[in-house]
Amino acid sequence: MTKDTKIDFIYLSEPDMVEAGVTDMPSCVDTMEEMFALLHVGDYRMAGENNNSHGSLILFPEDSPHDTMPKNTPDRRLMAMPAYLGGSFGTSGVKWYGSNIANRERGLPRSILMFILTDTETSAPLALMSANLLSAYRTGAIPGVGARHLARKDSRVAGILGPGVMGKTSLSAFIAACPQIDTVKVKGRGQKNLDLFIDWVKETYPQISKVYAVDTAEELVRGSDVVAYCSSGATGDPSTYPIVERDWISPGTFLAMPALGNFDQGVAAPDVRKVLDYTGLYEAWVSEVPHPTHDHIPLVGMKWMDMVTDGALQRDALEDLSAIVAGTTPGRQNDDEIIMLSVGGMPVEDVAWGTIVYRNAIKNGLGTKLNLWDEPILH
């Protein structure tokens, strides 16, 4: 019997991805919630010794020894992020993450991302995807999963620090999880981006009766029911990271922190619940990055891990979103709890959402079919 060795796969451009549903935030939140349940039972793998690494990063020197080698500049990275996810997914993949802040001078996005989805059994490619939207929506969906379990059900006021892509997707996820949201506050650095964000909210979510800019982080946090810190910036000096102060926070507030963040001693106190999106990711970073890790990875979760290392915080003070989703740890228990979620971002999220988008594309005949070979030259 002749074996069928032909391997075809599909290429999905950004318009193909949109048509296949990559911007369907409610579905993305549902998918990320299913992924967290699989993380909790261990039906996944990422890179690194503990199978929880964020990825493998190429680092450039501060002073390049070669004319053709780039120098290290803010937010320059080339990174491979591989993962396997089990359950109903059963797929593997890797995101290639390229970032250079100078891209904006060329009219390009800061980051240009691609994702390849593969069959786990044979490692044959299933799809090569444009991944900027894939990555943006899976990142934004995590605050939505957090809000579904940790925000008050009657949340109405959202505060967004950073009116860029992450701010938009985080707000979309908040609205998917908390449909009673009717007021949005936003803080940004430039009037143009603030105006674009406000116009986008009005056009996309006509149920929002009030959307306006504020001048300070304090104004943003005060009186908000759900908050997301989504601004970009340089790492290295945590005193420059956007801060949250305990006195600003009303009882019952949920704060999602998917970008640079810092906090005062009041937030460090026990009355603020501290939740990691997935503990293994932060443990991997602790093993890979010099202490204090918050200097290098500007997430509030890394400051918590540094506090644990320094004896300033008990390890059992940190909770895990996957355990909350799985029901082994309680979600919000009353309307007065203040809860902060650190969002690190994991390649299993790309595999999860990429798999759903791929299946939608196949179902609807989208994409361009490509051929790897009919029969391999090498056996």
Side-chain angles (χ1 to χ4, degrees), residues 8 64 73 87 93 97 103 106 122 141 146 173 227 271 293 304-305:
D8 291 327
S64 176
T73 54
Y97 191 127
N103 278 354
R106 303 180 176 97
T122 66
V227 175
D271 67 325
T293 62
W304 296 336
M305 298 299 283

Side-chain angles (χ1 to χ4, degrees), residues 152 246 250-253 271 332-339:
R152 294 197 331 272
R246 174 65 181 83
S250 305
T253 302
D271 67 325
R332 173 170 289 276
Q333 299 175 79
N334 60 66
D335 285 346
D336 290 334
E337 283 186 310
I338 295 170
I339 307 173

Side-chain angles (χ1 to χ4, degrees), residues 64-102:
S64 176
H66 305 286
D67 292 341
T68 56
M69 181 182 289
K71 294 181 180 180
N72 184 39
T73 54
D75 212 16
R76 181 190 285 278
R77 69 184 99 168
L78 292 172
M79 188 175 196
M81 301 173 64
Y84 158 79
L85 186 62
S88 67
F89 302 94
T91 47
S92 304
V94 60
K95 180 168 71 179
W96 180 243
Y97 191 127
S99 179
N100 185 352
I101 202 165

